[in-house]
Amino acid sequence: MFPGVQSHALAVDDIASFIMWADIILFLIVVGTMFLFVFKYHKKRHPHATNIHGNVPLEVIWTVIPILLVLYMFYIGWTGYIQTRVVPKDAMPVKVIGRQWTWTFEYANGKVADSMYVPEGTPIKCLITSVDVIHGFYIPAFREKQDALPDRVRYLMLYPEQVGNYEITCSQYCGLDHALMETRLVVLPKDEFNKWLNTGVSKEEVKEVATSNP
Ligand SMILES: [Cu+2]
């Protein structure tokens, strides 16, 4: 997996690796015990089976540990998720419109672009919708994804922390050219972004800027 570029992405990665390591350790404990018992209680070594009626300490342990693990997974998942849902006061709105098979971005001053330009260090409130079928607004490096639904507006918070050029793609199969429905998220330093926002740039020029900064 390529590196995440905002603290939310790092939180998602931490959750994924915590769950993976918890799975690996539990797998080894369960399968290890299974093999140990197959060996230890083989008919040759243990000809007479014992009839066991419960073991309270053991049952408490295997109930409490999984509950704590699941609660902890919920806690780290929730705190990561909430970062994408809480809208800070200084958030900048950007309208994200999906259509077969392109993305369009509209800014508060009326500027329209086919790549998404955002300033570094400003929370971005993406207002996501679609003009035809269901699309999925997906920025892998930010570990964020939200379906774009016709006639509805859904939102997602972005916290661009690093200047750069990131992939935006469609995560819902939406027809013939679904695979080609991609564009760039360009994070610029604040002053450069303001310059970009306040100049009337044609669509061709927007494309040029987006591709000249790989
Ligand atoms: Cu699509």
Side-chain angles (χ1 to χ4, degrees):
M1 181 73 101
F2 41 84
V5 291
Q6 61 172 356
S7 46
H8 169 71
L10 302 178
V12 171
D13 293 357
D14 286 350
I15 295 163
S17 39
F18 175 78
I19 292 176
M20 187 189 72
W21 282 109
D23 287 352
I24 289 174
I25 292 166
L26 286 173
F27 175 82
L28 290 177
I29 292 174
V30 170
V31 175
T33 313
M34 209 172 78
F35 277 105
L36 179 75
F37 281 15
V38 164
F39 179 79
K40 195 175 163 190
Y41 297 109
H42 189 272
K43 210 161 66 181
K44 268 190 235 150
R45 279 173 283 272
H46 202 88
H48 298 291
T50 335
N51 204 354
I52 300 167
H53 293 277
N55 182 326
V56 174
L58 209 55
E59 282 165 21
V60 168
I61 288 171
W62 75 46
T63 306
V64 169
I65 290 179
I67 287 177
L68 291 179
L69 272 177
V70 169
L71 283 177
Y72 182 65
M73 284 174 192
F74 173 79
Y75 170 75
I76 54 180
W78 174 256
T79 48
Y81 170 75
I82 213 72
Q83 287 176 15
T84 68
R85 307 309 300 167
V86 173
V87 183
K89 278 212 174 95
D90 60 338
M92 188 185 94
V94 179
K95 217 170 156 192
V96 177
I97 302 148
R99 60 168 55 77
Q100 287 169 313
W101 290 276
T102 54
W103 294 104
T104 308
F105 305 93
E106 276 180 33
Y107 294 82
N109 68 353
K111 179 146 183 167
V112 177
D114 56 9
S115 294
M116 186 177 188
Y117 286 77
V118 294
E120 179 194 18
T122 305
I124 307 296
K125 186 183 185 186
C126 307
L127 297 154
I128 303 158
T129 189
S130 162
V131 293
D132 40 45
V133 300
I134 298 176
H135 298 280
F137 180 64
Y138 179 31
I139 312 173
F142 280 62
R143 312 282 193 267
E144 290 211 55
K145 191 194 284 186
Q146 167 65 51
D147 278 3
L149 307 170
D151 298 326
R152 289 183 202 186
V153 179
R154 290 286 177 267
Y155 75 92
L156 195 65
M157 290 306 304
L158 296 183
Y159 296 89
E161 289 160 12
Q162 276 175 45
V163 169
N165 197 318
Y166 310 99
E167 183 189 12
I168 294 176
T169 187
C170 179
S171 62
Q172 288 284 8
Y173 181 62
C174 58
L176 186 66
D177 282 343
H178 161 67
L180 306 177
M181 189 171 164
E182 52 181 8
T183 183
R184 308 302 296 174
L185 168 68
V186 183
V187 181
L188 297 172
K190 257 183 197 163
D191 48 337
E192 257 180 69
F193 171 80
N194 287 332
K195 228 185 279 166
W196 174 84
L197 186 65
N198 294 312
T199 38
V201 184
S202 73
K203 277 196 168 180
E204 283 68 31
E205 279 173 280
V206 169
K207 259 187 193 154
E208 227 171 70
V209 175
T211 47
S212 67
N213 184 13

